Amino acid sequence: MFKRLYKKVEELRPLFAEGGKLHAFHSLFDGFDTFLFTPSTPAGKVGAQIHDGKDSKRTMIMVVMALVPALLFGMYNVGYQHFLATGELVRGSVTCDLFWKAFGFGFLAVLPYILVSYIVGLGIEFTVAQWKKEEIQEGFLVTGFIIPLIVPIDTPLWMVALAVAFAVIFAKEVFGGTGYNIWNVALIARVFLFFAYPTHMSGDSVFVRTSGTWGWDEGKTLVDGFSGATPLGQLATTSDATLIPVDFWTAFNGLIPGSVGETCCWAILLGACLLLTTGVASWKTMLSVFAGGAITAWLFNAFGPDTAIAHLPWYMHLVLGGFAFGAVFMATDPVTSARTETGKWIYGFLIGVVAIVVRVLNPGYPEGMMLAILLMNTCAPLIDWCVVQSNINKRMKRSQKKEVAL
Amino acid sequence: MQQIELKRGLDIPLEGEAVRTIGSVRRPKVFHIVPSHFEGITPKLNVKEGDTVLAGGVVFHDKKFEQMNFTSPVSGKVVAIVRGERRKVLSIDIESEETIRYESFDVKEDLRSLLLKSGLWCLIKQRPYDCIALPNKEPKAIFISSFDTAPLAPDYNFVLNGQSNQLQCAISALKTIAPVYVGLDKKADSSSMFKNLKDCTLYEVKGVHPAGNVSVQINHISPVNKGETVWTINVQDAVLIGRLLTEGKVDMHKIVALTGPMVREAQYYNVLPGISVKELLQGNVYSEVPCTYIAGNALSGHQVSLDDAISIYDNQYTVIDSGVETHEFMGWLLPRFSEFHSDRTDPATFLDNCMTRSLFGKKEYKWDGRLKGGLRALIMSGEYDKVFPMDIYPEQLVRAMIANNIDRMEQLGAYEVAPEDFALCEYVCTSKLPLQAIVRKALDYMKSEIE
């Protein structure tokens, strides 16, 4: 069967080759060709004649798979929060019917974001690959999957499309494509939305879908006293310095308002397990983000100002907001992270520190993870420079010692 | 004895190890001497068509260092000088006589001039630049690694069996130039002939590939600083020098291991450089699929065609399936049960580790010469570090090399490396970068700018 498929692909190949009728779509053809069949390109004349089976496609697909639990739970949570708001569902009593109804609603609500993200992003990638006569790079498979997971569910689709286009073009392609970008592309999309359309990105009404989706469940009245504020949003606005909006296990389970993929810690943990066992993400970065966050939050607990967010127990910081999601999926992005092993410890730790500092000390932003990761993306080359410089200094000292001895 | 323990690296379980027998190769009529085997030199011919040379007689010399000769492995008549574009000498063909007549050398002569004159100088390589040792530089040390950890590498304890005399002779002579260091394999049994060497400093290396790479050993024993030169000699090549010193003649017979999964009967052969690859293989290869013929090992060798000549540097030939007829459906997603994995990105690795190895013992893998992916920019980090046991940042060094930044290369340790040290990095690279080609080009560039 595969042989026949292969023959078919080979028959089509001349159409897309230089001078063929469909040459303008050769990057698309190449994309599908290498998707279907691992290229049989032999190794170069000199150098390693055998190669390991892993390639960029396999690494990227591992990250996508790791994101799936967070996505599925996120879909369910979108429906759950919606029906909670309309009063159709009461916390703690979910029947099987309601479960599927909530999941179905969330699925339909999230699906357009995934489609828009992939269509816009991959469209740009395909065009650029065609233009630069390069192969299509797989980086956007992950980026395009993450973007729907880190935006509020009420963001208008055109904004997402605009943000994706901005991020792919100005944060990636102008630098040269996957592997050359300085900042995490998905976060650039989010930060674009955050500063261009601030009213749609924070507040009490954006994290819960109160209207319907695809015409389903439109125009329902909301229950009395409904508030769609995220726990971190509540903490940022409250005047009660002892407020703890949710308990640890509720936050860990993730049936709370928030961006689609960020709420459920066990789903993120499942993804983390996959990333760490396959070795795609660095355990050093991941662990040090959590360590940095925990230590900083604990310091605020002990010595911080008299505000609710500073009093929030340190372990709550790690399960609320985008902290876990950022630590597992975004801080570990190898391209924008520190690239030396020592650098990864420092880089991760500082992300944790900065995220909590922004949360506690900045009155404007309830969440600090996005800014922390972007800031450390910027600093990562500096961290690497220092680490590599110590190796260089050692070598210089060694050769100077030699000169003195002579 | 100094011990080096290496934690990083990777052994690659390629099949087709040579059995310990030495086969014979019929001596062909015509031998080819190929100047491009000797990297970094410009040949100036000393012979013309119709001339007769003895084994050890000069065929050509280097344009820059005129005293550096390159000599013939056999005696006979020069039947053709094959030239390519811009009259570049591609090969000098010598018709061999029935019995080889040897040019005799005066072994009392100064070692340097003897080696230069006899054409065996080219066996001495140097760090920096991994090139033929520059005669105008004084080495601070001479390193010989007595073992090779590359896939299916020849076992020098077998190859040099009975020639410890010549090896000792070479080492004692080289000691007059600089202190000699010989690296021993920790795993080798106590009967190893190398353990009894004198006039040199012995050290033991424990670890997986690339523990046998001489650069790795130099990096741990006596790293090369700016302005310093270290000589390296392959252990079998040192025996050629020893043979010259004991017998007064240039006898280039070498024992070459023919290995790899596509070889029918992998074993050792006693050959003279200059014969063609075809004559070494003699149809001893499975021919169902197109094969890749590799001079050297599968990690750091280079492709050759059947008509190419065997060079004086070769100790091993490997034949693998070239893979051009393998069309793997969704290879990036589906588990590959028959392949070796250096990491755990393939679900088959788990099953492999948990089941097959414990149930069936050693597993046999399928190998071919495909890249198994497309060329990308560097994406994953820390991959190279895991297989690069030197106090050097490989990724940063490669970046400096791609950028042709000599200062940065110098700072990051480019003087200490050879392309072969990046072979495993190239093997594991997700982005499929041709690292050894990059390193070779950068070292050549550096040499041309600095020397």
Side-chain angles (χ1 to χ4, degrees):
Chain A
M1 181 193 127
F2 296 149
K3 267 198 184 133
R4 269 172 54 195
L5 187 62
Y6 180 75
K7 268 193 192 142
K8 201 89 204 153
V9 175
E10 287 302 302
E11 277 168 25
L12 288 173
R13 193 178 298 278
L15 269 181
F16 293 90
E18 196 95 41
K21 267 187 205 159
L22 297 174
H23 182 58
F25 297 99
H26 81 87
S27 71
L28 194 70
F29 176 77
D30 285 350
F32 280 106
D33 178 26
T34 55
F35 175 87
L36 285 174
F37 294 98
T38 302
S40 312
T41 343
K45 275 226 165 298
V46 292
Q49 299 297 321
I50 48 176
H51 283 80
D52 201 69
K54 65 178 168 190
D55 65 342
S56 151
K57 281 192 177 59
R58 191 178 276 278
T59 353
M60 296 299 173
I61 201 69
M62 283 298 152
V63 187
V64 171
M65 283 186 202
L67 283 160
V68 167
L71 172 77
L72 293 180
F73 187 89
M75 286 174 166
Y76 171 61
N77 189 36
V78 165
Y80 183 92
Q81 295 299 331
H82 171 81
F83 291 118
L84 205 61
T86 57
E88 206 164 318
L89 183 152
V90 181
R91 194 177 277 276
S93 62
V94 180
T95 60
C96 191
D97 276 357
L98 266 176
F99 173 84
W100 287 110
K101 197 174 167 187
F103 182 79
F105 182 91
F107 176 78
L108 290 177
V110 176
L111 190 64
Y113 290 93
I114 299 177
L115 292 177
V116 164
S117 164
Y118 270 135
I119 290 169
V120 173
L122 286 179
I124 297 171
E125 290 268 340
F126 277 44
T127 317
V128 171
Q130 175 79 27
W131 175 50
K132 286 166 76 178
K133 297 193 168 54
E134 278 176 359
E135 270 187 54
I136 292 164
Q137 294 157 348
E138 297 82 3
F140 193 79
L141 288 181
V142 174
T143 311
F145 206 93
I146 288 183
I147 289 173
L149 298 185
I150 57 173
V151 293
I153 191 62
D154 254 2
T155 322
L157 284 173
W158 65 267
M159 282 185 196
V160 175
L162 201 63
V164 169
F166 175 85
V168 172
I169 295 171
F170 290 102
K172 184 153 92 172
E173 294 306 340
V174 294
F175 290 100
T178 308
Y180 297 107
N181 49 310
I182 300 173
W183 297 286
N184 186 305
V185 182
L187 276 179
I188 290 290
R190 195 181 195 281
V191 88
F192 176 85
L193 291 169
F194 191 78
F195 288 114
Y197 309 104
T199 49
H200 287 91
M201 292 305 287
S202 54
D204 291 354
S205 57
V206 298
F207 287 101
V208 175
R209 177 63 71 91
T210 45
S211 60
T213 177
W214 303 79
W216 176 13
D217 224 28
E218 295 283 3
K220 283 284 170 71
T221 46
L222 303 181
V223 292
D224 288 342
F226 164 76
S227 158
T230 63
L232 285 176
Q234 294 174 40
L235 284 162
T237 47
T238 184
S239 54
D240 172 12
T242 54
L243 177 78
I244 295 174
V246 285
D247 64 280
F248 180 82
W249 288 109
T250 314
F252 188 83
N253 269 327
L255 287 170
I256 50 173
S259 296
V260 179
E262 70 175 21
T263 57
C264 176
C265 290
W266 57 260
I268 294 168
L269 212 60
L270 278 179
C273 284
L274 182 64
L275 288 181
L276 293 179
T277 45
T278 55
V280 169
S282 161
W283 63 272
K284 292 173 187 164
T285 315
M286 234 183 253
L287 183 68
S288 56
V289 175
F290 283 108
I295 291 170
T296 318
W298 179 80
L299 285 174
F300 276 120
N301 289 168
F303 310 108
D306 188 25
T307 55
I309 187 82
H311 289 310
L312 186 72
W314 60 271
Y315 49 85
M316 291 299 293
H317 272 289
L318 309 186
V319 293
L320 282 179
F323 194 91
F325 189 87
V328 171
F329 295 111
M330 317 202 52
T332 53
D333 169 11
V335 176
T336 55
S337 139
R339 296 188 70 88
T340 53
E341 298 303 304
T342 324
K344 282 174 188 165
W345 288 112
I346 304 167
Y347 167 84
F349 190 82
L350 289 178
I351 286 181
V353 171
V354 175
I356 302 300
V357 167
V358 172
R359 269 186 191 178
V360 175
L361 296 184
N362 188 313
Y365 310 137
E367 174 56 302
M369 202 55 184
M370 170 180 76
L371 296 170
I373 295 174
L374 286 173
L375 180 70
M376 292 320 292
N377 282 171
T378 318
C379 297
L382 181 68
I383 297 171
D384 280 342
W385 187 87
C386 296
V387 173
V388 172
Q389 198 60 35
S390 75
N391 178 273
I392 291 174
N393 289 343
K394 196 161 85 187
R395 188 166 292 110
M396 303 289 254
K397 216 176 268 170
R398 195 177 75 199
S399 93
Q400 271 161 14
K401 218 192 304 175
K402 211 83 202 174
E403 270 166 32
V404 172
L406 286 172
Chain B
M1 198 189 300
Q2 194 174 342
Q3 309 268 343
I4 308 171
E5 199 179 330
L6 303 174
K7 295 251 159 55
R8 291 172 284 171
L10 177 71
D11 271 341
I12 293 190
L14 197 61
E15 282 152 56
E17 194 179 350
V19 295
R20 281 147 201 263
T21 49
I22 297 181
S24 62
V25 175
R26 195 170 46 84
R27 178 133 56 88
K29 241 191 148 51
V30 178
F31 281 70
H32 312 275
I33 301 171
V34 181
S36 65
H37 284 161
F38 307 96
E39 276 182 63
I41 65 133
T42 319
K44 285 277 155 196
L45 288 180
N46 290 41
V47 292
K48 50 186 187 300
E49 274 179 43
D51 283 2
T52 310
V53 288
L54 298 177
V58 189
V59 178
F60 60 91
H61 64 269
D62 183 28
K63 189 178 168 192
K64 190 173 175 202
F65 297 105
E66 287 182 356
Q67 70 278 41
M68 194 196 290
N69 287 340
F70 296 85
T71 55
S72 169
V74 288
S75 59
K77 199 171 92 181
V78 180
V79 286
I81 290 171
V82 186
R83 289 179 187 269
E85 263 173 61
R86 295 164 73 190
R87 294 190 41 80
K88 184 186 170 196
V89 181
L90 297 183
S91 121
I92 298 128
D93 296 351
I94 295 175
E95 196 179 272
S96 160
E97 289 170 352
E98 274 301 309
T99 43
I100 301 178
R101 290 178 296 139
Y102 291 94
E103 179 131 2
S104 59
F105 290 89
D106 177 14
V107 296
K108 301 259 169 0
E109 208 178 332
D110 168 55
L111 182 64
R112 278 166 177 267
S113 53
L114 178 65
L115 290 175
L116 285 164
K117 203 192 280 178
S118 64
L120 295 187
W121 180 273
C122 65
L123 299 175
I124 304 172
K125 293 284 185 100
Q126 70 160 57
R127 301 281 180 286
Y129 318 126
D130 184 42
C131 60
I132 296 174
L134 301 171
N136 57 355
K137 287 273 157 67
E138 281 299 324
K140 72 162 180 173
I142 300 169
F143 275 84
I144 299 173
S145 172
S146 74
F147 66 109
D148 191 343
T149 42
L152 307 177
D155 174 5
Y156 288 116
N157 238 322
F158 170 73
V159 167
L160 302 182
N161 189 19
Q163 301 185 75
S164 52
N165 233 352
Q166 280 97 325
L167 182 61
Q168 183 59 61
C169 188
I171 288 172
S172 303
L174 287 166
K175 196 185 159 227
T176 59
I177 297 177
V180 181
Y181 295 83
V182 178
L184 304 177
D185 188 1
K186 178 98 185 181
K187 285 189 293 245
D189 50 35
S190 52
S191 65
S192 164
M193 61 180 275
F194 304 111
K195 290 200 168 158
N196 306 319
L197 289 172
K198 286 184 284 290
D199 287 341
C200 58
T201 313
L202 297 172
Y203 54 88
E204 273 188 330
V205 192
K206 185 184 173 193
V208 292
H209 187 54
N213 278 17
V214 71
S215 319
V216 174
Q217 300 171 8
I218 299 172
N219 183 265
H220 286 87
I221 302 263
S222 169
V224 187
N225 295 308
K226 190 184 178 179
E228 292 176 341
T229 304
V230 167
W231 285 1
T232 70
I233 308 172
N234 172 279
V235 65
Q236 185 166 203
D237 294 348
V239 167
L240 295 196
I241 295 174
R243 219 177 273 158
L244 169 70
L245 293 169
T246 49
E247 298 168 22
K249 63 180 189 185
V250 175
D251 179 357
M252 296 190 195
H253 276 99
K254 286 189 89 167
I255 291 180
V256 171
L258 179 59
T259 61
M262 296 307 281
V263 176
R264 282 176 202 276
E265 281 162 21
Q267 62 164 342
Y268 293 86
Y269 288 94
N270 194 349
V271 299
L272 263 182
I275 70 167
S276 65
V277 175
K278 198 167 47 202
E279 280 143 4
L280 172 69
L281 295 177
Q282 305 172 91
N284 189 7
V285 170
Y286 293 105
S287 52
E288 295 87 56
V289 287
C291 290
T292 305
Y293 306 101
I294 305 160
N297 62 65
L299 279 179
S300 60
H302 59 272
Q303 289 175 17
V304 289
S305 73
L306 287 175
D307 292 323
D308 284 342
I310 288 176
S311 94
I312 192 170
Y313 296 114
D314 294 337
N315 294 302
Q316 181 187 6
Y317 273 80
T318 310
V319 186
I320 59 169
D321 173 3
S322 73
V324 289
E325 286 183 1
T326 309
H327 305 294
E328 201 180 5
F329 183 68
M330 287 203 175
W332 54 279
L333 180 63
L334 301 177
R336 289 168 161 141
F337 290 103
S338 56
E339 281 190 20
F340 173 73
H341 307 282
S342 68
D343 69 355
R344 297 180 301 272
T345 45
D346 194 314
T349 328
F350 294 105
L351 300 167
D352 210 30
N353 289 339
C354 318
M355 294 167 61
T356 7
R357 279 204 197 131
S358 52
L359 288 180
F360 307 111
K362 204 176 156 199
K363 191 182 161 175
E364 299 208 327
Y365 298 101
K366 192 176 151 288
W367 294 92
D368 59 49
R370 288 173 302 148
L371 284 176
K372 297 173 195 159
L375 183 69
R376 297 287 182 276
L378 271 172
I379 294 172
M380 301 303 286
S381 61
E383 275 182 330
Y384 300 168
D385 300 88
K386 286 185 194 141
V387 293
F388 197 86
M390 293 162 83
D391 185 21
I392 285 175
Y393 282 97
E395 184 197 312
Q396 281 70 17
L397 179 55
V398 165
R399 282 173 189 265
M401 285 175 162
I402 293 172
N404 271 343
N405 185 340
I406 290 188
D407 284 345
R408 190 92 181 137
M409 285 190 240
E410 201 176 280
Q411 292 170 346
L412 287 166
Y415 291 138
E416 303 176 46
V417 297
E420 60 169 7
D421 302 320
F422 289 84
L424 272 174
C425 300
E426 191 172 349
Y427 171 81
V428 298
C429 182
T430 309
S431 301
K432 310 291 176 192
L433 290 175
L435 294 177
Q436 292 179 83
I438 292 170
V439 175
R440 179 76 268 161
K441 198 170 145 241
L443 292 179
D444 289 347
Y445 172 70
M446 213 174 169
K447 185 181 166 210
S448 71
E449 290 289 309
I450 292 176
E451 295 300 326

